[in-house]
Amino acid sequence: MPQDQRRGPGRPRDADMEARVFDAVLEVYWETSWRGFTFDAVARRARVGRAALYRRWASKEDLLVAALEARSPLPAPIDTGSVRGDLVELSDQLARGYAELAGLVSIRVTLDAMVNPDLLAHLTDTLNQSRLVTTRAIVSRAVARGELPPNTSTTLLLELVTGAVLSHALFSHPHRSAETDASPRHSEIVVETVLRALV
């Protein structure tokens, strides 16, 4: 008799468990910050056993990183053929990310790392790595095409774009209206301003 026919009924595989866990991670962290973020709290919110979490993630740091990577603010590679197009796409992806819970949680993790650097500093490094790698590739291609000076700072460029997008996401959202929606896209204004400063 084949092995799958000899198996007892057992417990059916929970196909959407990981998605529920990642949703729970973001919700719990957003509500409680680092101090209230525990396996127990996530397990209760996701309606799974705590043992199931421990089998997949060795620590709550690993679980948090996995959830944020799964809901990454920069999910897609960027290569539009021009530095302007690349930076507009980068700005758009950041804006979409900060409009979602994962982006807001990443901000809270960054703030918590200032209070708990021994625990969370490596998490913020992980969160920033994808943005830095993406921006470094954008700058490298732009320098090769002659669109940016060879001494362009990847870090400064990323800070300028991210800072403008983050400020807009945090402070302008409640004041949007049909008039502002009809105005030029915020990402394009940010990129034009940054390029004028760097070129």
Side-chain angles (χ1 to χ4, degrees):
M1 181 182 295
Q3 184 176 355
D4 58 348
Q5 294 183 22
R6 292 197 304 268
R7 294 176 58 187
R11 192 179 213 179
R13 179 185 172 92
D14 191 347
D16 67 341
M17 189 200 81
E18 187 172 273
R20 288 204 323 274
V21 168
F22 288 161
D23 288 343
V25 166
L26 299 180
E27 292 167 6
V28 169
Y29 199 98
W30 180 244
E31 294 169 7
T32 69
S33 195
W34 178 251
R35 291 185 179 180
F37 178 68
T38 64
F39 272 140
D40 285 341
V42 172
R44 285 194 301 271
R45 182 67 61 92
R47 304 183 310 280
V48 302
R50 185 175 58 177
L53 300 183
Y54 281 111
R55 282 196 298 270
R56 290 166 175 78
W57 298 281
S59 66
K60 67 178 188 176
E61 293 95 330
D62 291 342
L63 177 56
L64 179 57
V65 169
L68 288 171
E69 287 181 343
R71 307 288 195 265
S72 173
L74 288 179
I78 298 174
D79 187 359
T80 67
S82 72
V83 66
R84 185 184 183 281
D86 287 353
L87 291 177
V88 168
E89 178 61 21
L90 173 66
S91 179
D92 283 344
Q93 289 192 21
L94 287 169
R96 287 194 297 270
Y98 288 133
E100 298 174 355
L101 185 56
L104 295 174
V105 168
S106 70
I107 297 170
R108 174 155 283 183
V109 170
T110 302
L111 294 174
D112 286 346
M114 299 176 71
V115 181
N116 304 287
D118 294 340
L119 293 173
L120 293 173
H122 67 286
L123 280 183
T124 57
D125 290 343
T126 300
L127 296 175
N128 290 329
Q129 189 63 24
S130 62
R131 293 180 207 170
L132 189 58
V133 168
T134 296
T135 309
R136 188 177 292 124
I138 290 172
V139 170
S140 177
R141 290 193 302 266
V143 169
R145 290 191 296 255
E147 296 173 307
L148 288 176
N151 63 345
T152 298
S153 168
T154 298
T155 302
L156 176 60
L157 189 150
L158 181 57
E159 287 175 348
L160 291 172
V161 173
T162 303
V165 173
L166 178 56
S167 177
H168 188 71
L170 291 178
F171 301 114
S172 300
H173 184 72
H175 308 292
R176 288 179 184 170
S177 63
E179 182 178 350
T180 56
D181 287 342
S183 64
R185 293 171 56 205
H186 184 258
S187 294
E188 294 175 351
I189 296 172
V190 168
V191 170
E192 291 297 338
T193 303
V194 169
L195 289 178
R196 281 200 299 271
L198 292 178
V199 177

